[in-house]
């Protein structure tokens, strides 16, 4: 069987195909939202500080709700959680678009909507992560992660921003927000059409103790697993520093770097994001088309750390092609690392706590996301965009080497070889 066929083999399964189609459309919408949000703030007369305020609101919604999202993914119907999360995001953005189109939109409206969109995503992501292994055999999980890793940058970071830039240039940011809301509702419809039966979460919820004590016990169990699993703890701590250093500059300062250094607008921003996305798609496709590296933990961490260095060029480039090249490299390495990470969560973490581990992943990794968003705008104004991007590129590389040593990753990956031809059950039983 050829590599190309292996890469799309999960799409043979009807339920996974519906989930994937819904995800594809929703990610297109998220790409639209990324551009629409930035230019809606600018259209309202805002600058880096105001955009930091709105993006910080999104990260707060995500951070506050993500642990509850993990509990919901383990206790409730994962399909229902996804449907409700997508529906909430869709309805919120339709209301926001209405305000924009009638000329009543204000910055605080954007911030309120961002909180709710972040909360919806906090419930969706753990449920999605826990649901995929139920839809596919173990030997197709790497391919599924590769499909998602290819889809996410192409849709959310490439096609979506390009479409968003064109829509905003031709019409308005409000229309782009409207289209985003419709994509989330379409995704909810696709998940509703799936034929899932005997969901473990639903049955568990009926037989187990519920309430605050149960939630605390669930969280304690998940955290205990993370604390006792050194590679997982080290990776999550690295994710915390990585997000602090890179996410704020990437989300907040890139539009202003394009405006000030290139004299560009939403179209150039869309092209830079498209380069980031296309690079990510290539990286995900390459890593998922073959067996994982023997040193998969080391490779994953260095891809995130050293792979972030080219983001430095976004702080001083005066040519669009140079910005696009730097963004493409960062996208490729980051997306390839994410494919490895997704496979680890699905094959080295047991079924029962997977939703909570996924939520802890996002909680710990994004713990400093609001701080990063809040600091990026003021730091850019105080120290200059170039200085902020230098720190964003060099910092993760330095931290990555310390994490590899602290997590004893070189010995762990040899003791637990992870190859796409291996049985997942063997790895999970070795961890528990």
């Amino acid at each position: 069987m050829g590599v190309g066929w292996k890469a799309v083999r999960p799409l043979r399964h009807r339920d996974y195909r519906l989930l994937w189609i819904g995800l594809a459309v929703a990610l297109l919408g998220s790409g639209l939202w990324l551009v629409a949000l930035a230019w809606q703030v600018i259209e309202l007369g805002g600058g880096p500080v105001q955009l930091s305020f709105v993006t910080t609101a999104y990260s707060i919604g995500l951070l506050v709700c993500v642990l509850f999202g993990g509990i919901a993914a383990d206790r409730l119907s994962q399909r229902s959680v996804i449907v409700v999360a997508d529906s909430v995001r869709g309805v919120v953005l339709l209301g926001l678009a209405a305000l924009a189109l009638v000329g009543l939109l204000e910055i605080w409206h954007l911030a309120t909507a961002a909180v709710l969109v972040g909360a919806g995503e906090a419930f969706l992501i753990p449920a999605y992560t826990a649901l995929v292994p139920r839809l596919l055999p173990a030997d197709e999980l790497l391919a599924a992660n590769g499909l998602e890793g290819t889809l996410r940058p192409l849709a959310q970071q490439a096609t979506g921003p390009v479409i968003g830039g064109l829509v905003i240039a031709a019409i308005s940011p409000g229309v782009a927000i409207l289209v985003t809301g419709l994509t989330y509702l379409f995704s909810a419809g696709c998940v509703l059409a799936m034929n899932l039966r005997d969901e473990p979460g639903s049955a568990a919820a009926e037989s187990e103790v519920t309430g605050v004590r149960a939630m605390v016990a669930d969280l304690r169990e998940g955290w205990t697993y993370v604390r006792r699993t050194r590679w997982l703890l080290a990776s999550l701590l690295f994710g915390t520093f990585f997000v602090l250093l890179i996410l704020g500059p990437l989300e907040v300062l890139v539009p202003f770097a394009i405006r000030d250094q290139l004299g560009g607008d939403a179209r150039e921003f869309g092209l830079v994001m498209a380069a980031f996305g296309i690079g990510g798609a290539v990286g995900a496709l390459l890593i998922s088309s073959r067996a994982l590296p023997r040193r998969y933990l080391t490779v994953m961490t260095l891809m995130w750390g050293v792979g972030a260095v080219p983001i430095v060029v976004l702080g001083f480039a005066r040519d669009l092609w140079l910005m696009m090249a730097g963004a493409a490299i960062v996208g490729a390495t980051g997306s390839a690392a994410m494919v490895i990470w997704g496979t680890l969560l699905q094959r080295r973490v047991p079924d029962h706590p997977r939703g909570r581990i996924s939520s802890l992943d996002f909680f710990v990794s994004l713990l400093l996301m609001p701080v990063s968003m809040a600091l990026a705008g003021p730091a850019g104004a105080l120290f200059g965009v170039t200085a902020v991007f230098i720190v964003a590129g060099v910092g993760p590389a330095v931290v990555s080497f310390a994490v590899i040593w602290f997590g004893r990753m070189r010995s762990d990956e040899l003791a637990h070889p992870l190859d796409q031809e291996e049985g997942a059950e063997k790895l999970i039983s070795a961890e528990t």
Side-chain angles (χ1 to χ4, degrees):
M1 184 179 295
V3 169
W5 168 242
K6 286 182 179 180
V8 299
R9 189 167 56 179
L11 295 176
R12 298 176 304 164
H13 306 275
R14 177 184 180 274
D15 282 346
Y16 178 77
R17 187 166 62 249
L18 283 169
L19 182 68
W20 189 85
I21 290 171
L23 177 68
V25 174
L27 288 174
L28 279 173
S30 294
L32 281 166
W33 167 247
L34 175 68
V35 181
L37 180 63
W39 254 260
Q40 185 67 76
V41 168
I42 292 174
E43 188 175 275
L44 292 174
V49 174
Q50 286 73 25
L51 186 54
S52 283
F53 171 66
V54 176
T55 54
T56 300
Y58 164 82
S59 64
I60 289 173
L62 180 63
L63 187 62
V64 168
C65 294
V66 71
L67 293 180
F68 299 103
I71 295 172
D74 286 336
R75 283 183 167 266
L76 306 176
S77 161
Q78 292 148 4
R79 177 174 63 174
S80 297
V81 172
I82 294 173
V83 169
V84 172
D86 266 337
S87 298
V88 168
R89 295 195 300 170
V91 170
V92 166
L93 290 187
L94 290 183
L96 193 69
L99 290 173
L101 294 174
V102 298
L104 298 177
L105 187 66
E106 298 180 16
I107 294 291
W108 74 266
H109 293 136
L110 288 171
T112 302
V115 169
L116 296 174
V117 171
E121 190 163 349
F123 279 87
L124 184 145
I125 292 172
Y128 178 90
T129 301
L131 179 59
V132 170
R134 295 186 51 228
L135 305 179
L136 299 172
D139 62 352
E140 294 185 14
L141 290 177
L142 178 64
N145 287 317
L147 276 173
E148 182 188 347
T150 303
L151 169 67
R152 187 173 295 276
L154 280 179
Q156 186 174 13
Q157 298 159 359
T159 309
V162 168
I163 295 174
L166 293 175
V167 170
I168 292 167
I171 310 176
S172 71
V175 173
I177 295 173
L178 173 66
V179 175
T180 300
L182 295 175
T183 64
Y184 292 153
L185 295 179
F186 177 86
S187 176
C190 287
V191 178
L192 272 175
M194 295 167 62
N195 294 323
L196 284 179
R197 296 180 181 178
D198 300 322
E199 295 195 49
S202 300
E206 295 177 1
S207 60
E208 295 180 1
V209 178
T210 59
V212 175
R213 290 179 61 187
M215 288 193 294
V216 171
D218 285 346
L219 292 175
R220 185 185 298 117
E221 181 185 0
W223 174 246
T224 299
Y225 180 86
V226 171
R227 183 169 49 84
R228 293 177 177 174
T229 310
R230 197 176 182 96
W231 67 265
L232 185 57
L233 177 61
S235 298
L236 294 183
L237 292 175
F238 173 68
T240 302
F241 288 103
F242 183 81
V243 167
L244 173 66
L245 293 172
I246 201 172
L247 195 59
L250 190 61
E251 294 285 344
V252 175
L253 295 182
V254 170
F256 298 99
I258 290 172
R259 185 190 67 181
D260 298 339
Q261 295 166 203
L262 305 181
D265 57 18
R267 286 167 290 191
E268 283 76 13
F269 180 55
L271 289 173
V272 172
M273 291 297 100
F276 185 85
I278 292 171
V282 172
L285 185 61
L286 290 177
I287 200 69
S288 63
S289 295
R290 62 191 68 194
L292 290 175
R294 188 182 182 206
R295 296 283 190 177
Y296 58 89
L297 286 170
T298 302
V299 170
M300 176 187 73
T301 306
L302 291 179
M303 279 182 171
W304 269 320
V306 179
V309 172
I311 201 174
V312 170
V313 303
L314 274 66
F316 64 80
R318 294 296 186 271
D319 297 306
L320 179 61
W321 71 266
L322 186 56
M323 276 196 176
M324 292 175 66
I329 295 172
V330 175
T333 55
S335 188
M338 278 300 300
V339 171
I340 299 176
W341 178 244
T343 305
L344 289 175
L345 290 181
Q346 292 168 346
R347 296 186 64 178
R348 290 195 62 176
V349 175
D351 291 338
H352 173 59
R354 187 177 291 123
R356 278 163 289 164
I357 300 304
S358 176
S359 68
L360 282 169
D361 165 29
F362 278 91
F363 179 78
V364 176
S365 298
L366 302 182
L367 187 61
L368 297 182
M369 180 179 178
V371 179
S372 182
M373 296 291 192
L375 291 180
L382 183 62
F383 301 108
V385 170
T386 301
V388 174
F389 275 110
I390 289 174
V391 174
V394 176
V398 175
V399 174
S400 66
F401 289 102
V403 165
I404 291 171
W405 174 81
F406 169 77
R408 301 175 185 169
M409 291 181 172
R410 292 173 63 82
S411 58
D412 184 278
E413 59 200 356
L414 294 180
H416 301 91
L418 183 61
D419 185 273
Q420 66 188 86
E421 303 300 330
E422 268 193 283
E425 295 80 5
K426 179 180 178 181
L427 285 168
I428 291 176
S429 63
E431 294 276 340
T432 57

